[in-house]
């Protein structure tokens, strides 16, 4: 009775061991490679699976999630500037080629790094420094295309490649800053010169307009004076005065106006007038008349 119980227990244990060795669960986003007697048998994906104990074994547990690899490389541009380029590549195992990825490549990350470095050494030296910055996305696209084609042969898919940094030396950065500062100063000088030119032109136009208005005002002023004199002459002639007396009255009035203006002027001056009147006035009148006649001749 005791021997039968022991045998039963041993049998149950053996069955449990066989079940434990036969059943296995593959987690989500993973793939297991199963070999039978050292030879590839199949690839199993997420879920419950069965294998033959001892004969079958799980040789590799492959992660199907996206991995990221960062590569830092120093290379030279077309204009002989050494730059440090940092590239980040996202890649994963192709679900249809899990066995190829496992058996073909021993170090996928190292192989991918080599392909990226080779692609960068081909792309960056063909560009000048400014073009490398401006065409960073094009460089990343070319690297991804080249690396993706090579890695697809080994069962890997390159999802995205990004050029995250292009760093020249500090001396080059300082030189670039100096060039940019000089260009900005040149542009600012040009703008200041244009502003000054506009200011000069505006002031000149305003001065010309002021002079024109002053001339028009002076002309109108003299015209009104002439019209007033004509009206005064006509008025005096209308009351029966002859032309000689009219001229005397007009000149005397102008003389008085000049004297009044001189007396009301705020400037300090000394005015010498004839001492006798009307004798002095007649002398002044004769001088003015003689000067007028001489000018007319």
């Amino acid at each position: 009775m005791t021997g039968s119980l022991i045998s039963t227990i041993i049998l149950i244990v053996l069955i449990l061991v066989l079940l434990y060795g036969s059943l296995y669960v593959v987690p989500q986003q993973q793939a297991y490679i199963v070999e039978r007697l050292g030879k590839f048998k199949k690839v199993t994906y997420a879920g419950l699976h069965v294998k033959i104990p001892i004969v079958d074994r799980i040789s590799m547990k492959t992660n199907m999630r996206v991995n990221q690899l960062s590569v830092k490389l120093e290379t030279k541009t077309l204009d002989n500037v050494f730059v440090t380029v940092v590239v980040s590549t996202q890649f994963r195992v192709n679900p249809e080629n899990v066995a190829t990825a496992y058996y073909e490549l021993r170090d996928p990350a190292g192989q991918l790094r080599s392909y990226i470095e080779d692609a960068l050494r081909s792309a960056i030296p063909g560009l000048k420094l400014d073009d490398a910055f401006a065409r960073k996305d094009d460089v990343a696209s070319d690297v991804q295309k080249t690396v993706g084609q090579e890695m697809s042969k080994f069962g890997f898919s390159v999802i995205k490649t990004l050029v995250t940094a292009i760093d020249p030396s500090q001396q080059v950065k300082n030189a670039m800053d100096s060039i940019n500062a000089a260009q900005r100063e040149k542009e600012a000088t040009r703008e200041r010169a244009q502003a000054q030119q506009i200011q000069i032109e505006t002031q000149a136009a305003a001065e010309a307009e002021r002079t024109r208005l002053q001339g028009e005002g002076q002309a109108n002023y003299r015209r009104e004076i002439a019209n007033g004199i004509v009206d005064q002459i006509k008025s005096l002639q209308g009351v029966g005065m002859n032309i000689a007396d009219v001229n005397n009255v007009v000149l005397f009035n102008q003389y008085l106006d000049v004297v009044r203006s001189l007396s009301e002027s705020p400037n300090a001056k000394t005015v010498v007038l004839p001492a006798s009147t009307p004798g002095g006035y007649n002398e002044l009148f004769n001088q003015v008349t003689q000067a007028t006649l001489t000018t007319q001749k």
Side-chain angles (χ1 to χ4, degrees):
M1 185 71 177
T2 304
S4 300
L5 181 60
I6 294 174
S7 300
T8 303
I9 294 174
I10 293 174
L11 180 60
I12 292 173
V13 172
L14 290 175
I15 293 174
L16 291 177
V17 171
L18 291 175
L19 288 175
Y20 180 79
S22 301
L23 300 177
Y24 65 97
V25 176
V26 180
Q28 185 66 34
Q29 289 299 100
Q30 291 193 17
Y32 288 3
I33 298 176
V34 179
E35 294 181 348
R36 177 168 293 176
L37 300 177
K39 183 179 179 181
F40 170 72
K41 175 60 179 177
K42 60 181 178 180
V43 177
T44 56
Y45 301 93
L48 179 64
H49 300 274
V50 178
K51 64 181 179 65
I52 301 175
I54 302 175
V55 177
D56 294 340
R57 74 179 187 91
I58 299 174
S59 61
M60 180 62 183
K61 298 179 180 180
T62 303
N63 195 328
M64 304 296 294
R65 287 181 293 182
V66 176
N67 297 310
Q68 178 167 302
L69 175 67
S70 295
V71 177
K72 188 175 182 180
L73 174 69
E74 184 179 22
T75 184
K76 185 177 68 172
T77 61
L78 184 62
D79 46 355
N80 296 321
V81 178
F82 282 92
V83 294
T84 300
V85 184
V86 180
V87 176
S88 295
T89 300
Q90 298 174 349
F91 68 101
R92 59 177 295 181
V93 176
N94 194 332
E96 291 79 17
N97 298 313
V98 175
T100 303
Y102 172 65
Y103 289 105
E104 292 292 333
L105 284 182
R106 182 178 181 84
D107 184 10
Q111 188 69 37
L112 180 60
R113 182 186 301 274
S114 298
Y115 282 134
I116 292 175
E117 291 177 352
D118 182 69
L120 286 175
R121 288 193 178 96
S122 299
I124 298 299
L127 299 174
K128 292 184 178 180
L129 181 59
D130 293 339
D131 294 335
F133 282 103
R135 299 179 56 187
K136 184 174 64 173
D137 292 339
D138 295 337
V139 172
S141 179
D142 293 341
V143 171
Q144 178 176 344
K145 182 179 179 180
T146 302
V147 175
Q149 291 176 350
E150 295 296 330
M151 293 299 294
S152 63
K153 300 176 183 178
F154 303 102
F156 287 87
S157 298
V158 178
I159 308 301
K160 188 68 175 179
T161 300
L162 300 173
V163 178
T164 57
I166 299 178
D167 292 328
S169 63
Q170 189 61 42
Q171 291 82 356
V172 175
K173 290 181 181 179
N174 294 336
M176 293 174 64
D177 291 339
S178 300
I179 293 173
N180 291 331
Q183 291 177 345
R184 293 181 183 275
E185 181 62 25
K186 180 179 179 181
E187 187 66 24
T189 302
R190 185 183 297 108
E191 293 294 333
R192 286 194 294 267
Q194 291 179 353
Q196 186 176 5
Q197 180 181 359
I198 293 174
Q199 182 180 5
I200 293 174
E201 292 175 354
T202 303
Q203 291 177 350
E207 184 67 23
E209 181 66 15
R210 186 175 69 86
T211 302
R212 184 183 67 82
L213 294 176
Q214 287 179 347
E216 290 181 356
Q218 187 69 20
N220 293 331
Y221 172 74
R222 292 177 179 176
R223 187 182 301 109
E224 293 299 326
I225 292 177
N227 292 333
I229 293 174
V230 171
D231 292 339
Q232 186 179 12
I233 292 174
K234 289 181 180 180
S235 299
L236 293 176
Q237 287 179 338
V239 296
M241 295 182 64
N242 58 37
I243 188 64
D245 294 335
V246 169
N247 288 336
N248 286 333
V249 172
V250 171
L251 287 176
F252 185 72
N253 288 335
Q254 291 181 350
Y255 171 76
L256 293 178
D257 291 339
V258 170
V259 173
R260 184 184 303 110
S261 298
L262 291 174
S263 64
E264 294 176 351
S265 175
N267 298 327
K269 62 178 69 65
T270 301
V271 180
V272 179
L273 299 176
S276 60
T277 304
Y281 165 72
N282 289 331
E283 182 180 355
L284 177 63
F285 171 75
N286 292 331
Q287 292 176 357
V288 173
T289 302
Q290 185 63 33
T292 303
L293 293 176
T294 303
T295 303
Q296 291 178 351
K297 292 180 180 181

